[in-house]
């Protein structure tokens, strides 16, 4: 596990909790608005041994995560343009090939 980017310098305990404790999948929140106060992105290996980048969002309601590159890209655009905390809406959809996806937009 390797921390790639983060909204601020987390303590070792905070970083450990964000990268090891259970989180709620953002895929389950399509259509909902979240107030993001902090975030961390780290690399890890999935069950198949492949490297994946995990984005964890910290909100007053709890911590949410995704491995969606599309969500990560759009979230990065928002956080580069606006200071935290920031409100985002989770957007779900389906590709032309029938695959589900998520992304986000500024609320």
């Amino acid at each position: 596990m390797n921390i790639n980017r983060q909204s601020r310098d987390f303590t070792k305990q905070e970083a450990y909790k964000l990268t090891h404790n259970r989180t709620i999948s953002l895929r389950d929140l399509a259509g909902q608005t979240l107030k993001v106060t902090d975030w961390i992105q780290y690399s890890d290996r999935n069950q198949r041994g492949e490297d994946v980048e995990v984005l964890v969002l910290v909100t007053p309601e709890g911590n949410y995560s995704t491995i969606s590159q599309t969500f990560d890209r759009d979230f990065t655009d928002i956080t580069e343009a606006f200071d935290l905390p920031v409100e985002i809406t989770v957007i779900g959809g389906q590709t032309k090939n029938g695959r589900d996806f998520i992304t986000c937009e500024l609320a």
Side-chain angles (χ1 to χ4, degrees):
M1 195 270 313
N2 207 17
I3 295 175
N4 301 328
R5 301 180 291 127
Q6 54 193 347
S7 58
R8 64 178 174 89
D9 288 329
F10 291 102
T11 66
K12 287 183 180 181
Q13 182 178 7
E14 290 171 325
Y16 183 89
K17 285 181 178 181
L18 289 172
T19 58
H20 288 81
N21 288 4
R22 292 181 188 215
T23 58
I24 299 166
S25 173
L26 284 167
R27 184 173 302 280
D28 300 332
L29 299 178
Q32 296 188 34
T33 298
L34 301 174
K35 181 179 182 178
V36 180
T37 57
D38 276 308
W39 57 270
I40 192 169
Q41 186 211 55
Y42 65 96
S43 298
D44 204 359
R45 290 192 184 247
N46 64 16
Q47 295 173 341
R48 293 178 283 205
E50 302 164 331
D51 288 331
V52 293
E53 290 184 344
V54 182
L55 176 65
V56 178
L57 306 182
V58 179
T59 76
E61 293 78 28
N63 300 335
Y64 302 90
S65 64
T66 184
I67 59 171
S68 167
Q69 294 175 350
T70 304
F71 188 100
D72 191 334
R73 180 197 66 221
D74 292 343
F75 181 75
T76 298
D77 289 346
I78 291 169
T79 57
E80 287 177 351
F82 301 96
D83 293 331
L84 293 177
V86 65
E87 288 194 10
I88 61 166
T89 301
V90 180
I91 306 297
Q94 200 170 60
T95 67
K96 293 177 185 175
N97 296 334
R99 294 186 60 186
D100 292 333
F101 72 90
I102 61 167
T103 188
C104 63
E105 62 186 20
L106 188 64

